[in-house]
Amino acid sequence: MPKARRESTERPLEGVLSRLKGVRKRKGGWTAQCPCHDDKRNSLSIAEGEDGRVLLYCFAGCSFTNILSALGLEAHQLFENSQLKEDHYKDNSWKERKIVATYDYTDEKGNLLYQVCRTQEKQFPIRQPDGKGGWRWGLEGVSLVLYSLPAVTKAIEQKEPLFLVEGEKDAERLLSGGLFATTSPLGAGKWKDAYNAQLEGARLVILPDNDKPGKHHAQQIAEQLRNVAASVDIL
């Protein structure tokens, strides 16, 4: 009979602090070097909420998603117990958040598959149409596609350069300037094999974020696409 899996007794806060450099105690929490950029001034603030969750904020502007990726953690690992983790992912947990921007992911014909939302707290939950005029949260049951897939297809057909960036906001800036651009959801370190086939024959130019996770993300993608895309360059 297999042994029961032993749960870790390490608190989420301890797990986060053990992954950071230059940790210093301060009133109300800790500071540390942010793992997303060459940090010399302890830009990262770490605190513990009343419910045991870990709160992270980079004063240099690094996103929450990129900080988690650089630490090798998932969002649910910042919570004290399983009940909090489950509550975090329930639909009601996002309904009360203020959404300040949305980004549509469509198929090649422009049909909406899912939507990345940006909240006031700079979190990026994903929702999809529920078929009843509303939404349900998560990616379960949907096909994973790149952002602005019709533009991706057009760039490949016309043999034009296609810029791959980290984040929908940056992709929109390039698209609004008349260039072909795309990105993938969930940030650095979340590239899926399903995206590779969508870039077959592309003249790909990767524009990585100027931090360690971004540069590592770009290298990983480039390696996967060397024999798929027509060309791959990192700018």
Side-chain angles (χ1 to χ4, degrees):
M1 184 175 178
K3 294 182 179 179
R5 185 172 146 183
R6 185 178 177 182
E7 295 293 333
S8 172
T9 58
E10 183 181 65
R11 289 167 56 208
L13 178 64
E14 294 169 347
V16 171
L17 293 178
S18 68
R19 289 170 166 81
L20 293 168
K21 296 180 180 179
V23 176
R24 296 176 187 171
K25 188 75 173 69
R26 64 165 193 174
K27 185 178 180 180
W30 293 261
T31 64
Q33 295 173 15
C34 177
C36 288
H37 67 277
D38 187 16
D39 193 0
K40 305 298 184 184
R41 302 180 61 182
N42 274 26
S43 300
L44 187 67
S45 171
I46 311 101
E48 189 174 34
E50 292 182 1
D51 56 9
R53 77 180 65 187
V54 181
L55 308 173
L56 301 171
Y57 182 77
C58 177
F59 288 96
C62 297
S63 72
F64 176 76
T65 302
N66 285 348
I67 294 171
L68 279 184
S69 177
L71 291 173
L73 295 172
E74 300 288 343
H76 67 83
Q77 292 175 280
L78 301 185
F79 292 86
E80 182 68 35
N81 57 57
S82 59
Q83 184 59 49
L84 285 172
K85 296 172 189 177
E86 292 169 2
D87 288 346
H88 180 68
Y89 288 104
K90 287 179 180 176
D91 282 1
N92 289 337
S93 69
W94 295 114
K95 286 180 179 178
E96 297 178 358
R97 308 290 177 95
K98 182 177 181 180
I99 296 175
V100 296
T102 58
Y103 302 97
D104 291 347
Y105 281 73
T106 71
D107 62 19
E108 293 178 352
K109 296 181 180 179
N111 299 311
L112 179 64
L113 298 175
Y114 54 91
Q115 193 177 70
V116 171
C117 304
R118 179 188 175 97
T119 71
Q120 196 170 34
E121 299 84 4
K122 293 186 178 181
Q123 294 174 306
F124 297 87
I126 297 176
R127 64 186 183 182
Q128 57 179 292
D130 63 3
K132 302 175 183 178
W135 302 94
R136 60 189 177 95
W137 298 97
L139 280 169
E140 184 178 358
V142 300
S143 300
L144 292 175
V145 297
L146 293 168
Y147 189 61
S148 63
L149 190 58
V152 171
T153 302
K154 190 174 182 180
I156 295 172
E157 290 175 349
Q158 297 183 2
K159 298 183 179 180
E160 292 288 339
L162 174 64
F163 294 90
L164 176 62
V165 297
E166 190 179 321
E168 294 85 4
K169 189 175 181 180
D170 287 342
E172 282 295 324
R173 286 174 179 165
L174 294 176
L175 288 164
S176 66
L179 300 172
F180 293 106
T182 188
T183 189
S184 58
L186 303 175
K190 304 297 183 182
W191 186 262
K192 305 295 184 184
D193 291 342
Y195 305 139
N196 294 341
Q198 296 165 31
L199 294 172
E200 184 175 359
R203 292 177 56 196
L204 197 64
V205 180
I206 303 175
L207 300 176
D209 274 10
N210 191 27
D211 53 35
K212 290 181 180 179
K215 293 174 182 177
H216 182 64
H217 180 63
Q219 291 290 346
Q220 283 187 318
I221 294 172
E223 288 301 318
Q224 289 191 46
L225 294 172
R226 291 293 181 196
N227 297 319
V228 177
S231 62
V232 181
D233 294 291
I234 300 177
L235 190 60

